[in-house]
Amino acid sequence: MASRQAGKKRDVEADARPRPQDRSGGAPAARRQRDDSPAQPPRQKKRASKRRSGFGRLIYWGAVLALWAVIAAIGLLVWIGAHLPPIQSLEIPKRPPSVLILGANGTTLATRGDMGGAEVPLRELPDYAPKAFVAIEDRRFYSHHGIDPWGILRAGVRDVLHRGAAQGGSTITQQLAKNLFLTQERTVTRKLQEAVLALWLEHKFSKAQILELYLNRVYFGSGAYGIEAAAQRYFGKSARKLTLPEAAMLAGLVQSPSRLAPSRNPDGAERRAGMVIAAMADLKMIGDDAAKRALITPARAIKPSGGGSVNYVADWVMDAVDDLIGHVEADIVVETSIDPALQTAAEHSLDDVLAQKGDKLDVGQGALVAMTPDGVVRALVGGRNYAESQFNRAIAARRQPGSAFKPFVYLTALEHGLTPDTVREDKPISVQGWRPENFEHEYLGPVTLTQALANSLNTVSVRLTTEVGPAAVVRTAYRLGIESKLEPNASIALGTSEVSVIELVSAYATFANGGLAVAPHVVERIRSNDGKTLYARSTQPLGRIIDARYVGMMNTMMRETLVNGTARRADLPGWLAAGKTGTSQDFRDAWFVGYTSHLVTGVWLGNDDNSPTKKAVGGGLPVEIWSRFMKTAHQGVAPSTLPGLSDGGWFTAPPPVSQAPRGSDESAAGTAAERNQRNSSGLDFWLLDKLFGRR
């Protein structure tokens, strides 16, 4: 019974559930009509559904990526902005001051300072000069807004293909932004900052202003910043007077100033200038005829006065300027005493001799200083090659002078009562265990002081030093202008304390001028660009520091050095000259300082690492270099005698001769010789002796 009722209940529930055709809704006739329509294949339904789904996903992810790109761009701009200078400081920085250094004849020797040349307004330049830079560096300069996408693309294609091209990717505005505000590092960050600053420059300044700033700030190699400095450096003229070939050559340098500088690579600079001319003709900036003429007559860079050696002078001048007027805040002009012709002659004399014979004697470096007897420096060479080494050996190096120091010993002895004819014994000597020897290990016995100095006898110099005392010798050297620290011991007689070339030359100048103090100098006048005098050298003499009698005696003795002594290879026809050679221990230094009444010149040779040479001596290469230079320096100058000399001898009657100290090694021989001298020292005998030349 129960089971039957349950079955009925299930039947009722089944009848109550809607059938599939009832779920579709509508009248039975409509359902039949829809059922009669053709059915779509299942695969087509799935394909259409996937298309709709893929397109939707593309739109979605595109929107997501675009959003993130915007966020990233904003973040990048914020980051770049955070690393840029503050916006209030983004003003064109004031051009650092330039220092124009002139020679004695008014010609340009060098320029110093971060910016080498004065600013030149764009309107004062030949019209083809700025066009040359636009043609080769940024031909779309007048149409872009600081960044040239086509230029960047062109540079990228060039890099991919590894092919040379006439243009780079950076616009002139970008290059200016880099020069004004950024470093030279090659990073993505710097390029992005450069782009942002280029846009700022284009917004703030006109195209003409940007181009003018660029031409006055860009680097042209060889220390020349700005078109004016470059024109002076390479062509010896103002940028206002540049020819078309010259302007093209300067425009071509900007790509690689060091590699293309015409002073170093004239062929490369000329080829690059040809590319500039071709680019200008292609852009119709110049006519075909003008382009042909420019290619036929290319620019030629001038050879600078004194070559590279003049940079040693310029460095010294900058140090002197700082001492004389302090910090430079505006452009200045420094008038110097350097003679460009003598500077060139000095450089060639040193370089030519060392190129021919330096390697054979293992001599790597040298220096030369030439000054007038009153201390006016006319030429200074601080080394063989400034590009390789900027160390100024004429000013900053301290080296042992060897026997070139002996004149201070002999002057001290004269001031203590001896004369050039005083006799001392040349024989072995021992000073507290130290046994100095002569250069050739030979001894001449009794000799006059003149003979001893001319032949650079070490034992006699040491004997004299022990007689007068090392401290007295040191005081004499300081009085004559030596500033380096000197050790007051017996070895000072042989020049064991180190001095600089310019110190030694200025000390010898006192002998050449008759005994007056000398302060070597190179700066004559400093003025501003508008002509205001900031410094002018005083011409007031410093006073006498050597008695005229002793000057004549010293000149007599050092004259003999060139006649019969260690400097007899010196060759200066028609002039009375004097001097002294010097060779330090182990042949590490070779010196010769010689002078006339017109010029005092010192030459040093050696090696920077203080290694020994192969027996280079003062009477060898230094004398040869000195002779070459002095011949040039004395051309066209009327000969005159040295102070205290007449017919090659000193003419002041000698004072009484003192005896050597009792108990000294040379006491007996010295005393006997001086006794004989006194017995025959009457004025008549003395005159006959000088006229007929007793040895």
Side-chain angles (χ1 to χ4, degrees), residues 38-232:
Q40 291 184 354
R43 290 183 179 179
Q44 291 184 3
K45 290 182 179 181
K46 290 181 180 180
R47 194 175 296 118
S49 176
K50 286 182 179 179
R51 281 199 299 269
R52 288 193 297 271
S53 176
F55 184 70
R57 282 197 299 270
L58 181 63
I59 294 176
Y60 172 77
W61 286 113
V64 170
L65 290 175
L67 178 61
W68 279 110
V70 171
I71 294 173
I74 294 173
L76 181 62
L77 289 174
V78 171
W79 186 87
I80 293 174
H83 289 77
L84 284 174
I87 192 67
Q88 63 269 20
S89 70
L90 286 182
E91 296 294 337
I92 300 301
K94 183 180 178 180
R95 183 178 63 81
S98 67
V99 180
L100 179 63
I101 302 173
L102 304 179
N105 61 357
T107 60
T108 299
L109 293 178
T111 55
R112 283 295 185 268
D114 290 336
M115 297 303 225
E119 291 187 355
V120 182
L122 194 65
R123 64 179 180 276
E124 295 182 11
L125 293 172
D127 61 347
Y128 45 73
K131 289 179 180 179
F133 289 84
V134 172
I136 198 66
E137 287 296 316
D138 187 5
R139 61 175 59 199
R140 289 168 46 83
F141 173 70
Y142 290 103
S143 61
H144 63 64
H145 298 284
I147 302 173
D148 184 7
W150 289 109
I152 296 173
L153 179 61
R154 185 167 55 250
V157 172
R158 179 201 62 190
D159 292 340
V160 171
L161 298 178
H162 300 284
R163 296 174 60 188
Q167 293 177 306
S170 295
T171 64
I172 284 178
T173 314
Q174 286 177 271
Q175 294 179 48
L176 178 62
K178 177 182 67 176
N179 292 336
L180 291 178
F181 305 113
L182 303 174
T183 66
Q184 300 297 318
E185 61 179 346
R186 296 175 178 271
T187 63
V188 175
T189 300
R190 201 268 294 161
K191 291 297 292 183
L192 293 173
Q193 292 175 331
E194 178 186 292
V196 172
L197 290 171
L199 295 174
W200 178 82
L201 286 171
E202 289 277 348
H203 172 73
K204 190 171 182 64
F205 299 97
S206 67
K207 290 289 186 179
Q209 289 174 317
I210 290 172
L211 189 55
E212 182 175 307
L213 284 168
Y214 173 80
L215 292 175
N216 284 293
R217 301 299 181 97
V218 70
Y219 182 56
F220 289 90
S222 298
Y225 287 84
I227 192 170
E228 177 67 13
Q232 294 285 357

